[in-house]
């Protein structure tokens, strides 16, 4: 890569990597040189989440993703009139696709919440996360945030479902007796929540597998040691 070939960048990556090799060999040590290992985790999560949301908020983001596409929410599998509609394969697939498209609006609301959480993140065992599995940092962030992502997405999903002109979605919601738009939005948010974290985890895994793609000397130095 051009940036890696640059002398200054290459030397910085080498020096950070050399320091990281020694630091990671020392249990409990959380810093190398002027960098903290927590900063490395934050950079890893920032890049992973930005890459994930760039894909999920693009047209067809959830639907086109192998890891983020989700099935119908449980709300639509409880029997009644909606089950008659879903007995049609084309209707079922059409509804699934449309709800995946609606989820993009939820992801737009979720993105800044995740970015803010990463900035404020407190990590007690950053070295452990660096040494962890391919999605260790994502799993840690998800546990720290709890249901925050779901709560952030519901308003955007409610708005999108309220104004949708798609006949399949409107027909399916009308067949849900006693269920309002807010409940449907929550059901979609529960599915989309998993999808968002799956996508962030996939991006983290990709960065760990090829840290040079980040052009970040700290991440390259720390992750290549592993």
């Amino acid at each position: 890569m051009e940036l890696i070939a640059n002398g200054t960048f290459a030397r910085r990556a080498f020096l950070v990597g050399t320091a990281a090799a020694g630091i990671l060999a020392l249990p409990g040590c959380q810093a190398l040189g002027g960098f903290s290992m927590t900063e490395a985790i934050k950079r890893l999560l920032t890049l992973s989440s930005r890459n994930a949301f760039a894909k999920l908020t693009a047209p067809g983001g959830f639907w086109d993703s192998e890891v983020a596409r989700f099935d119908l929410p449980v709300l639509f599998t409880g029997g009644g009139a909606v089950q008659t509609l879903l007995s049609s394969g084309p209707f079922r697939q059409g509804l699934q696709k449309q709800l995946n498209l609606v989820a993009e609006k939820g992801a737009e609301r979720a993105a800044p919440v995740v970015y803010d959480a990463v900035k404020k993140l407190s990590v007690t065992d950053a070295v452990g996360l660096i040494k962890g599995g391919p999605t260790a940092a994502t799993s840690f962030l998800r546990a720290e945030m709890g249901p925050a992502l779901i709560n952030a997405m519901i308003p955007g999903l409610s708005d999108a479902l309220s104004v949708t002109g798609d006949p399949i979605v409107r027909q399916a919601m009308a067949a849900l007796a006693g269920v309002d738009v807010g409940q449907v939005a929550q059901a979609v948010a529960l599915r989309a929540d998993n999808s968002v974290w799956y996508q962030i985890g996939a991006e983290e895994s990709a960065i760990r597998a090829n840290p040079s793609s980040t052009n970040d000397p700290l991440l390259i130095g720390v992750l290549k040691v592993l």
Side-chain angles (χ1 to χ4, degrees), residues 16 19-21 23-24 28-44 123 125-131 218-219 221-223 225-226:
V16 172
I23 290 300
L24 289 177
C29 196
Q30 299 293 314
L32 58 93
F35 299 101
S36 74
M37 299 302 281
T38 294
E39 175 63 20
I41 292 295
K42 288 185 176 183
R43 292 190 190 187
L44 176 60
V123 183
D125 185 17
V127 173
L129 291 181
I130 289 292
K131 290 183 174 182
L218 176 58
L219 285 178
V222 170
L223 295 177
V225 170
L226 305 182

PDB file of all heavy atoms in Angstrom, residues 16 19-21 23-24 28-44 123 125-131 218-219 221-223 225-226:
ATOM      1  N   VAL A  16       5.880   1.370  16.944  1.00  0.00           N
ATOM      2  CA  VAL A  16       4.729   1.040  17.781  1.00  0.00           C
ATOM      3  C   VAL A  16       4.600  -0.466  17.919  1.00  0.00           C
ATOM      4  O   VAL A  16       4.322  -0.998  18.985  1.00  0.00           O
ATOM      5  CB  VAL A  16       3.431   1.636  17.189  1.00  0.00           C
ATOM      6  CG1 VAL A  16       2.223   1.133  17.957  1.00  0.00           C
ATOM      7  CG2 VAL A  16       3.483   3.157  17.259  1.00  0.00           C
ATOM      8  N   ALA A  19       7.252  -1.816  20.295  1.00  0.00           N
ATOM      9  CA  ALA A  19       6.880  -1.523  21.683  1.00  0.00           C
ATOM     10  C   ALA A  19       5.745  -2.419  22.128  1.00  0.00           C
ATOM     11  O   ALA A  19       5.723  -2.921  23.247  1.00  0.00           O
ATOM     12  CB  ALA A  19       6.473  -0.056  21.808  1.00  0.00           C
ATOM     13  N   ALA A  20       4.787  -2.646  21.237  1.00  0.00           N
ATOM     14  CA  ALA A  20       3.627  -3.471  21.587  1.00  0.00           C
ATOM     15  C   ALA A  20       4.045  -4.894  21.905  1.00  0.00           C
ATOM     16  O   ALA A  20       3.484  -5.529  22.795  1.00  0.00           O
ATOM     17  CB  ALA A  20       2.627  -3.475  20.431  1.00  0.00           C
ATOM     18  N   ALA A  21       5.026  -5.391  21.180  1.00  0.00           N
ATOM     19  CA  ALA A  21       5.477  -6.764  21.417  1.00  0.00           C
ATOM     20  C   ALA A  21       5.956  -6.933  22.843  1.00  0.00           C
ATOM     21  O   ALA A  21       5.660  -7.927  23.508  1.00  0.00           O
ATOM     22  CB  ALA A  21       6.595  -7.122  20.437  1.00  0.00           C
ATOM     23  N   ILE A  23       5.207  -4.832  25.408  1.00  0.00           N
ATOM     24  CA  ILE A  23       4.138  -4.486  26.351  1.00  0.00           C
ATOM     25  C   ILE A  23       3.165  -5.631  26.523  1.00  0.00           C
ATOM     26  O   ILE A  23       2.748  -5.973  27.633  1.00  0.00           O
ATOM     27  CB  ILE A  23       3.383  -3.236  25.853  1.00  0.00           C
ATOM     28  CG1 ILE A  23       4.290  -2.003  25.971  1.00  0.00           C
ATOM     29  CG2 ILE A  23       2.127  -3.004  26.676  1.00  0.00           C
ATOM     30  CD1 ILE A  23       4.755  -1.686  27.365  1.00  0.00           C
ATOM     31  N   LEU A  24       2.757  -6.262  25.411  1.00  0.00           N
ATOM     32  CA  LEU A  24       1.780  -7.336  25.499  1.00  0.00           C
ATOM     33  C   LEU A  24       2.326  -8.554  26.227  1.00  0.00           C
ATOM     34  O   LEU A  24       1.561  -9.395  26.684  1.00  0.00           O
ATOM     35  CB  LEU A  24       1.318  -7.729  24.090  1.00  0.00           C
ATOM     36  CG  LEU A  24       0.440  -6.697  23.393  1.00  0.00           C
ATOM     37  CD1 LEU A  24       0.116  -7.161  21.971  1.00  0.00           C
ATOM     38  CD2 LEU A  24      -0.835  -6.433  24.157  1.00  0.00           C
ATOM     39  N   GLY A  28      -1.088  -7.245  32.559  1.00  0.00           N
ATOM     40  CA  GLY A  28      -1.648  -6.115  33.299  1.00  0.00           C
ATOM     41  C   GLY A  28      -1.203  -4.760  32.804  1.00  0.00           C
ATOM     42  O   GLY A  28      -1.709  -3.748  33.253  1.00  0.00           O
ATOM     43  N   CYS A  29      -0.228  -4.711  31.894  1.00  0.00           N
ATOM     44  CA  CYS A  29       0.246  -3.414  31.423  1.00  0.00           C
ATOM     45  C   CYS A  29      -0.731  -2.861  30.401  1.00  0.00           C
ATOM     46  O   CYS A  29      -1.120  -3.551  29.475  1.00  0.00           O
ATOM     47  CB  CYS A  29       1.637  -3.539  30.810  1.00  0.00           C
ATOM     48  SG  CYS A  29       2.466  -1.942  30.627  1.00  0.00           S
ATOM     49  N   GLN A  30      -1.109  -1.589  30.570  1.00  0.00           N
ATOM     50  CA  GLN A  30      -2.171  -1.019  29.750  1.00  0.00           C
ATOM     51  C   GLN A  30      -1.689   0.101  28.832  1.00  0.00           C
ATOM     52  O   GLN A  30      -2.505   0.799  28.241  1.00  0.00           O
ATOM     53  CB  GLN A  30      -3.282  -0.470  30.656  1.00  0.00           C
ATOM     54  CG  GLN A  30      -3.935  -1.531  31.534  1.00  0.00           C
ATOM     55  CD  GLN A  30      -4.730  -2.538  30.727  1.00  0.00           C
ATOM     56  OE1 GLN A  30      -5.486  -2.181  29.847  1.00  0.00           O
ATOM     57  NE2 GLN A  30      -4.534  -3.806  31.016  1.00  0.00           N
ATOM     58  N   ALA A  31      -0.361   0.308  28.726  1.00  0.00           N
ATOM     59  CA  ALA A  31       0.103   1.412  27.894  1.00  0.00           C
ATOM     60  C   ALA A  31       1.403   1.064  27.211  1.00  0.00           C
ATOM     61  O   ALA A  31       2.162   0.217  27.671  1.00  0.00           O
ATOM     62  CB  ALA A  31       0.278   2.671  28.743  1.00  0.00           C
ATOM     63  N   LEU A  32       1.641   1.723  26.057  1.00  0.00           N
ATOM     64  CA  LEU A  32       2.923   1.580  25.380  1.00  0.00           C
ATOM     65  C   LEU A  32       3.329   2.955  24.882  1.00  0.00           C
ATOM     66  O   LEU A  32       2.552   3.661  24.246  1.00  0.00           O
ATOM     67  CB  LEU A  32       2.848   0.581  24.227  1.00  0.00           C
ATOM     68  CG  LEU A  32       1.852   0.809  23.089  1.00  0.00           C
ATOM     69  CD1 LEU A  32       2.543   1.572  21.960  1.00  0.00           C
ATOM     70  CD2 LEU A  32       1.314  -0.501  22.591  1.00  0.00           C
ATOM     71  N   GLY A  33       4.557   3.349  25.244  1.00  0.00           N
ATOM     72  CA  GLY A  33       5.017   4.663  24.830  1.00  0.00           C
ATOM     73  C   GLY A  33       4.027   5.724  25.277  1.00  0.00           C
ATOM     74  O   GLY A  33       3.616   5.794  26.405  1.00  0.00           O
ATOM     75  N   GLY A  34       3.623   6.585  24.325  1.00  0.00           N
ATOM     76  CA  GLY A  34       2.652   7.624  24.639  1.00  0.00           C
ATOM     77  C   GLY A  34       1.233   7.209  24.354  1.00  0.00           C
ATOM     78  O   GLY A  34       0.328   8.028  24.408  1.00  0.00           O
ATOM     79  N   PHE A  35       1.015   5.924  24.020  1.00  0.00           N
ATOM     80  CA  PHE A  35      -0.310   5.440  23.662  1.00  0.00           C
ATOM     81  C   PHE A  35      -0.856   4.527  24.757  1.00  0.00           C
ATOM     82  O   PHE A  35      -0.122   3.767  25.377  1.00  0.00           O
ATOM     83  CB  PHE A  35      -0.275   4.652  22.344  1.00  0.00           C
ATOM     84  CG  PHE A  35       0.198   5.447  21.170  1.00  0.00           C
ATOM     85  CD1 PHE A  35       1.502   5.320  20.710  1.00  0.00           C
ATOM     86  CD2 PHE A  35      -0.648   6.327  20.525  1.00  0.00           C
ATOM     87  CE1 PHE A  35       1.949   6.048  19.616  1.00  0.00           C
ATOM     88  CE2 PHE A  35      -0.211   7.056  19.430  1.00  0.00           C
ATOM     89  CZ  PHE A  35       1.081   6.920  18.974  1.00  0.00           C
ATOM     90  N   SER A  36      -2.153   4.580  24.983  1.00  0.00           N
ATOM     91  CA  SER A  36      -2.769   3.634  25.908  1.00  0.00           C
ATOM     92  C   SER A  36      -3.415   2.514  25.112  1.00  0.00           C
ATOM     93  O   SER A  36      -3.838   2.704  23.977  1.00  0.00           O
ATOM     94  CB  SER A  36      -3.828   4.333  26.767  1.00  0.00           C
ATOM     95  OG  SER A  36      -4.990   4.601  26.004  1.00  0.00           O
ATOM     96  N   MET A  37      -3.476   1.338  25.720  1.00  0.00           N
ATOM     97  CA  MET A  37      -4.117   0.217  25.057  1.00  0.00           C
ATOM     98  C   MET A  37      -5.617   0.467  24.934  1.00  0.00           C
ATOM     99  O   MET A  37      -6.267  -0.030  24.025  1.00  0.00           O
ATOM    100  CB  MET A  37      -3.834  -1.074  25.828  1.00  0.00           C
ATOM    101  CG  MET A  37      -2.351  -1.415  25.915  1.00  0.00           C
ATOM    102  SD  MET A  37      -1.597  -1.581  24.283  1.00  0.00           S
ATOM    103  CE  MET A  37      -2.151  -3.214  23.852  1.00  0.00           C
ATOM    104  N   THR A  38      -6.154   1.250  25.870  1.00  0.00           N
ATOM    105  CA  THR A  38      -7.564   1.625  25.768  1.00  0.00           C
ATOM    106  C   THR A  38      -7.800   2.430  24.500  1.00  0.00           C
ATOM    107  O   THR A  38      -8.813   2.269  23.819  1.00  0.00           O
ATOM    108  CB  THR A  38      -8.002   2.449  26.991  1.00  0.00           C
ATOM    109  OG1 THR A  38      -7.940   1.618  28.157  1.00  0.00           O
ATOM    110  CG2 THR A  38      -9.424   2.968  26.823  1.00  0.00           C
ATOM    111  N   GLU A  39      -6.837   3.279  24.148  1.00  0.00           N
ATOM    112  CA  GLU A  39      -6.952   4.058  22.913  1.00  0.00           C
ATOM    113  C   GLU A  39      -6.976   3.133  21.704  1.00  0.00           C
ATOM    114  O   GLU A  39      -7.714   3.371  20.733  1.00  0.00           O
ATOM    115  CB  GLU A  39      -5.788   5.039  22.799  1.00  0.00           C
ATOM    116  CG  GLU A  39      -5.735   5.832  21.492  1.00  0.00           C
ATOM    117  CD  GLU A  39      -6.936   6.734  21.281  1.00  0.00           C
ATOM    118  OE1 GLU A  39      -7.630   7.058  22.270  1.00  0.00           O
ATOM    119  OE2 GLU A  39      -7.192   7.111  20.118  1.00  0.00           O
ATOM    120  N   ALA A  40      -6.202   2.065  21.751  1.00  0.00           N
ATOM    121  CA  ALA A  40      -6.197   1.105  20.648  1.00  0.00           C
ATOM    122  C   ALA A  40      -7.566   0.449  20.505  1.00  0.00           C
ATOM    123  O   ALA A  40      -8.076   0.281  19.394  1.00  0.00           O
ATOM    124  CB  ALA A  40      -5.119   0.040  20.880  1.00  0.00           C
ATOM    125  N   ILE A  41      -8.169   0.089  21.640  1.00  0.00           N
ATOM    126  CA  ILE A  41      -9.510  -0.504  21.617  1.00  0.00           C
ATOM    127  C   ILE A  41     -10.519   0.491  21.056  1.00  0.00           C
ATOM    128  O   ILE A  41     -11.376   0.137  20.234  1.00  0.00           O
ATOM    129  CB  ILE A  41      -9.942  -0.943  23.030  1.00  0.00           C
ATOM    130  CG1 ILE A  41      -9.095  -2.129  23.506  1.00  0.00           C
ATOM    131  CG2 ILE A  41     -11.420  -1.298  23.061  1.00  0.00           C
ATOM    132  CD1 ILE A  41      -9.292  -3.383  22.696  1.00  0.00           C
ATOM    133  N   LYS A  42     -10.421   1.739  21.466  1.00  0.00           N
ATOM    134  CA  LYS A  42     -11.352   2.756  20.980  1.00  0.00           C
ATOM    135  C   LYS A  42     -11.203   2.974  19.478  1.00  0.00           C
ATOM    136  O   LYS A  42     -12.191   3.139  18.759  1.00  0.00           O
ATOM    137  CB  LYS A  42     -11.144   4.068  21.740  1.00  0.00           C
ATOM    138  CG  LYS A  42     -11.634   4.030  23.183  1.00  0.00           C
ATOM    139  CD  LYS A  42     -11.514   5.402  23.839  1.00  0.00           C
ATOM    140  CE  LYS A  42     -12.102   5.379  25.242  1.00  0.00           C
ATOM    141  NZ  LYS A  42     -12.052   6.715  25.877  1.00  0.00           N
ATOM    142  N   ARG A  43      -9.979   2.978  19.010  1.00  0.00           N
ATOM    143  CA  ARG A  43      -9.759   3.147  17.567  1.00  0.00           C
ATOM    144  C   ARG A  43     -10.312   1.944  16.795  1.00  0.00           C
ATOM    145  O   ARG A  43     -10.900   2.096  15.727  1.00  0.00           O
ATOM    146  CB  ARG A  43      -8.265   3.317  17.268  1.00  0.00           C
ATOM    147  CG  ARG A  43      -7.678   4.612  17.775  1.00  0.00           C
ATOM    148  CD  ARG A  43      -6.267   4.815  17.242  1.00  0.00           C
ATOM    149  NE  ARG A  43      -5.605   5.929  17.892  1.00  0.00           N
ATOM    150  CZ  ARG A  43      -4.421   6.411  17.524  1.00  0.00           C
ATOM    151  NH1 ARG A  43      -3.784   5.869  16.491  1.00  0.00           N
ATOM    152  NH2 ARG A  43      -3.869   7.411  18.168  1.00  0.00           N
ATOM    153  N   LEU A  44     -10.098   0.765  17.354  1.00  0.00           N
ATOM    154  CA  LEU A  44     -10.608  -0.452  16.714  1.00  0.00           C
ATOM    155  C   LEU A  44     -12.126  -0.411  16.628  1.00  0.00           C
ATOM    156  O   LEU A  44     -12.717  -0.719  15.574  1.00  0.00           O
ATOM    157  CB  LEU A  44     -10.154  -1.677  17.507  1.00  0.00           C
ATOM    158  CG  LEU A  44     -10.678  -3.044  17.045  1.00  0.00           C
ATOM    159  CD1 LEU A  44     -10.253  -3.324  15.605  1.00  0.00           C
ATOM    160  CD2 LEU A  44     -10.167  -4.140  17.980  1.00  0.00           C
ATOM    161  N   VAL A 123     -12.256   0.962  29.887  1.00  0.00           N
ATOM    162  CA  VAL A 123     -11.814  -0.418  29.713  1.00  0.00           C
ATOM    163  C   VAL A 123     -10.840  -0.779  30.827  1.00  0.00           C
ATOM    164  O   VAL A 123      -9.820  -0.122  31.003  1.00  0.00           O
ATOM    165  CB  VAL A 123     -11.127  -0.609  28.345  1.00  0.00           C
ATOM    166  CG1 VAL A 123     -10.740  -2.067  28.140  1.00  0.00           C
ATOM    167  CG2 VAL A 123     -12.039  -0.141  27.221  1.00  0.00           C
ATOM    168  N   ASP A 125      -9.512  -3.981  31.154  1.00  0.00           N
ATOM    169  CA  ASP A 125      -8.573  -4.995  30.665  1.00  0.00           C
ATOM    170  C   ASP A 125      -8.417  -4.874  29.161  1.00  0.00           C
ATOM    171  O   ASP A 125      -8.824  -5.747  28.398  1.00  0.00           O
ATOM    172  CB  ASP A 125      -9.057  -6.399  31.058  1.00  0.00           C
ATOM    173  CG  ASP A 125      -8.051  -7.490  30.677  1.00  0.00           C
ATOM    174  OD1 ASP A 125      -6.873  -7.144  30.416  1.00  0.00           O
ATOM    175  OD2 ASP A 125      -8.440  -8.668  30.623  1.00  0.00           O
ATOM    176  N   ALA A 126      -7.805  -3.761  28.736  1.00  0.00           N
ATOM    177  CA  ALA A 126      -7.643  -3.513  27.305  1.00  0.00           C
ATOM    178  C   ALA A 126      -6.748  -4.556  26.650  1.00  0.00           C
ATOM    179  O   ALA A 126      -6.999  -4.994  25.527  1.00  0.00           O
ATOM    180  CB  ALA A 126      -7.070  -2.113  27.081  1.00  0.00           C
ATOM    181  N   VAL A 127      -5.701  -4.974  27.352  1.00  0.00           N
ATOM    182  CA  VAL A 127      -4.804  -5.983  26.790  1.00  0.00           C
ATOM    183  C   VAL A 127      -5.559  -7.286  26.552  1.00  0.00           C
ATOM    184  O   VAL A 127      -5.383  -7.963  25.542  1.00  0.00           O
ATOM    185  CB  VAL A 127      -3.592  -6.225  27.714  1.00  0.00           C
ATOM    186  CG1 VAL A 127      -2.752  -7.392  27.196  1.00  0.00           C
ATOM    187  CG2 VAL A 127      -2.736  -4.969  27.804  1.00  0.00           C
ATOM    188  N   GLY A 128      -6.450  -7.633  27.501  1.00  0.00           N
ATOM    189  CA  GLY A 128      -7.253  -8.839  27.348  1.00  0.00           C
ATOM    190  C   GLY A 128      -8.131  -8.772  26.117  1.00  0.00           C
ATOM    191  O   GLY A 128      -8.305  -9.767  25.406  1.00  0.00           O
ATOM    192  N   LEU A 129      -8.689  -7.584  25.840  1.00  0.00           N
ATOM    193  CA  LEU A 129      -9.534  -7.419  24.656  1.00  0.00           C
ATOM    194  C   LEU A 129      -8.696  -7.478  23.380  1.00  0.00           C
ATOM    195  O   LEU A 129      -9.127  -8.031  22.369  1.00  0.00           O
ATOM    196  CB  LEU A 129     -10.298  -6.097  24.723  1.00  0.00           C
ATOM    197  CG  LEU A 129     -11.391  -5.999  25.788  1.00  0.00           C
ATOM    198  CD1 LEU A 129     -12.078  -4.638  25.721  1.00  0.00           C
ATOM    199  CD2 LEU A 129     -12.419  -7.109  25.618  1.00  0.00           C
ATOM    200  N   ILE A 130      -7.491  -6.888  23.432  1.00  0.00           N
ATOM    201  CA  ILE A 130      -6.612  -6.948  22.265  1.00  0.00           C
ATOM    202  C   ILE A 130      -6.250  -8.390  21.962  1.00  0.00           C
ATOM    203  O   ILE A 130      -6.200  -8.819  20.807  1.00  0.00           O
ATOM    204  CB  ILE A 130      -5.328  -6.120  22.505  1.00  0.00           C
ATOM    205  CG1 ILE A 130      -5.640  -4.626  22.501  1.00  0.00           C
ATOM    206  CG2 ILE A 130      -4.272  -6.439  21.447  1.00  0.00           C
ATOM    207  CD1 ILE A 130      -6.055  -4.077  21.146  1.00  0.00           C
ATOM    208  N   LYS A 131      -6.017  -9.158  23.009  1.00  0.00           N
ATOM    209  CA  LYS A 131      -5.634 -10.556  22.837  1.00  0.00           C
ATOM    210  C   LYS A 131      -6.839 -11.477  22.634  1.00  0.00           C
ATOM    211  O   LYS A 131      -6.675 -12.674  22.404  1.00  0.00           O
ATOM    212  CB  LYS A 131      -4.855 -11.038  24.066  1.00  0.00           C
ATOM    213  CG  LYS A 131      -3.467 -10.448  24.206  1.00  0.00           C
ATOM    214  CD  LYS A 131      -2.768 -11.059  25.412  1.00  0.00           C
ATOM    215  CE  LYS A 131      -1.328 -10.618  25.513  1.00  0.00           C
ATOM    216  NZ  LYS A 131      -0.626 -11.250  26.666  1.00  0.00           N
ATOM    217  N   LEU A 218      -0.878   2.745  15.260  1.00  0.00           N
ATOM    218  CA  LEU A 218      -1.119   2.116  16.559  1.00  0.00           C
ATOM    219  C   LEU A 218      -1.817   0.774  16.402  1.00  0.00           C
ATOM    220  O   LEU A 218      -1.385  -0.241  16.969  1.00  0.00           O
ATOM    221  CB  LEU A 218      -1.967   3.033  17.440  1.00  0.00           C
ATOM    222  CG  LEU A 218      -2.379   2.457  18.815  1.00  0.00           C
ATOM    223  CD1 LEU A 218      -1.145   2.082  19.626  1.00  0.00           C
ATOM    224  CD2 LEU A 218      -3.245   3.448  19.575  1.00  0.00           C
ATOM    225  N   LEU A 219      -2.879   0.741  15.603  1.00  0.00           N
ATOM    226  CA  LEU A 219      -3.591  -0.525  15.399  1.00  0.00           C
ATOM    227  C   LEU A 219      -2.733  -1.543  14.672  1.00  0.00           C
ATOM    228  O   LEU A 219      -2.742  -2.741  15.015  1.00  0.00           O
ATOM    229  CB  LEU A 219      -4.891  -0.278  14.618  1.00  0.00           C
ATOM    230  CG  LEU A 219      -6.041   0.358  15.404  1.00  0.00           C
ATOM    231  CD1 LEU A 219      -7.243   0.580  14.489  1.00  0.00           C
ATOM    232  CD2 LEU A 219      -6.428  -0.515  16.584  1.00  0.00           C
ATOM    233  N   GLY A 221       0.537  -1.738  14.701  1.00  0.00           N
ATOM    234  CA  GLY A 221       1.567  -2.194  15.608  1.00  0.00           C
ATOM    235  C   GLY A 221       1.053  -3.159  16.641  1.00  0.00           C
ATOM    236  O   GLY A 221       1.654  -4.203  16.902  1.00  0.00           O
ATOM    237  N   VAL A 222      -0.110  -2.831  17.219  1.00  0.00           N
ATOM    238  CA  VAL A 222      -0.664  -3.677  18.281  1.00  0.00           C
ATOM    239  C   VAL A 222      -1.220  -4.989  17.729  1.00  0.00           C
ATOM    240  O   VAL A 222      -0.928  -6.066  18.247  1.00  0.00           O
ATOM    241  CB  VAL A 222      -1.778  -2.920  19.035  1.00  0.00           C
ATOM    242  CG1 VAL A 222      -2.543  -3.854  19.968  1.00  0.00           C
ATOM    243  CG2 VAL A 222      -1.171  -1.772  19.844  1.00  0.00           C
ATOM    244  N   LEU A 223      -2.015  -4.905  16.665  1.00  0.00           N
ATOM    245  CA  LEU A 223      -2.682  -6.098  16.165  1.00  0.00           C
ATOM    246  C   LEU A 223      -1.750  -7.050  15.420  1.00  0.00           C
ATOM    247  O   LEU A 223      -1.943  -8.266  15.461  1.00  0.00           O
ATOM    248  CB  LEU A 223      -3.847  -5.699  15.254  1.00  0.00           C
ATOM    249  CG  LEU A 223      -4.983  -4.943  15.946  1.00  0.00           C
ATOM    250  CD1 LEU A 223      -6.039  -4.527  14.935  1.00  0.00           C
ATOM    251  CD2 LEU A 223      -5.609  -5.792  17.043  1.00  0.00           C
ATOM    252  N   VAL A 225       1.231  -7.750  16.208  1.00  0.00           N
ATOM    253  CA  VAL A 225       1.982  -8.515  17.201  1.00  0.00           C
ATOM    254  C   VAL A 225       1.291  -9.841  17.478  1.00  0.00           C
ATOM    255  O   VAL A 225       1.930 -10.864  17.733  1.00  0.00           O
ATOM    256  CB  VAL A 225       2.123  -7.701  18.502  1.00  0.00           C
ATOM    257  CG1 VAL A 225       2.676  -8.581  19.627  1.00  0.00           C
ATOM    258  CG2 VAL A 225       3.041  -6.521  18.279  1.00  0.00           C
ATOM    259  N   LEU A 226      -0.043  -9.834  17.390  1.00  0.00           N
ATOM    260  CA  LEU A 226      -0.815 -11.015  17.701  1.00  0.00           C
ATOM    261  C   LEU A 226      -0.813 -12.017  16.550  1.00  0.00           C
ATOM    262  O   LEU A 226      -1.285 -13.119  16.725  1.00  0.00           O
ATOM    263  CB  LEU A 226      -2.266 -10.626  18.055  1.00  0.00           C
ATOM    264  CG  LEU A 226      -2.384  -9.606  19.175  1.00  0.00           C
ATOM    265  CD1 LEU A 226      -3.856  -9.344  19.462  1.00  0.00           C
ATOM    266  CD2 LEU A 226      -1.683 -10.091  20.425  1.00  0.00           C
TER     267      LEU A 226
END
